Amino acid sequence: HLKAEDIYHELHKNNEDIGLATVYRVLTQFESAGLIHRHRFDGDYAVFEINEGEHHDHLVCIKCHKVVEFFDDIIETRQEKIAKDNHFEITDHSLYIYGICEQCKN
């Protein structure tokens, strides 16, 4: 889960001559092509992750911004039941759980 600025800095560390605007443009194109997902975990900025084809949800630390990916069959089944009970067809969904990670609690 990288910000566009993180990608830009990594490219420059590897002596790639590319502008930040180009990074944003390419990320938008990758998102449109379904290659990456854009997330706004805290609303201030977007982070990007490669679309590996497998659905997962996220735990997000509100202090250090650490992101943990997880998948839970019970949560997925419950969401499907809620949608069905309300006559909805799920086309997409995301679950972000915000809290404080173990490292930040200590």
Side-chain angles (χ1 to χ4, degrees):
H1 302 93
L2 297 172
K3 295 184 285 185
E5 292 81 2
D6 297 332
I7 296 168
Y8 170 77
H9 291 299
E10 282 299 314
L11 289 167
H12 273 269
K13 274 194 230 177
N14 292 313
N15 297 318
E16 296 291 335
D17 186 23
I18 187 170
L20 183 57
T22 301
V23 171
Y24 275 106
R25 188 170 40 257
V26 170
L27 287 171
T28 300
Q29 291 171 343
F30 283 178
E31 181 183 18
S32 295
L35 300 173
I36 62 173
H37 293 292
R38 178 188 310 247
H39 299 283
R40 291 192 182 278
F41 293 128
D42 66 6
D44 290 342
Y45 59 88
V47 294
F48 301 88
E49 72 173 321
I50 294 173
N51 178 1
E52 296 177 346
E54 298 284 326
H55 171 76
H56 59 270
D57 297 306
H58 298 89
L59 295 165
V60 182
C61 180
I62 61 172
K63 291 192 173 197
C64 71
H65 307 287
K66 175 182 179 178
V67 177
V68 175
E69 298 176 354
F70 72 94
F71 178 83
D72 186 285
D73 284 322
I74 295 170
I75 291 173
E76 297 303 316
T77 300
R78 187 75 182 122
Q79 291 175 127
E80 289 171 13
K81 182 180 182 332
I82 291 167
K84 182 179 178 184
D85 290 349
N86 288 281
H87 310 288
F88 272 74
E89 176 184 341
I90 297 175
T91 57
D92 193 14
H93 77 280
S94 58
L95 174 64
Y96 304 144
I97 299 175
Y98 297 94
I100 301 171
C101 73
E102 184 175 15
Q103 292 170 327
C104 289
K105 282 193 299 187
N106 297 329

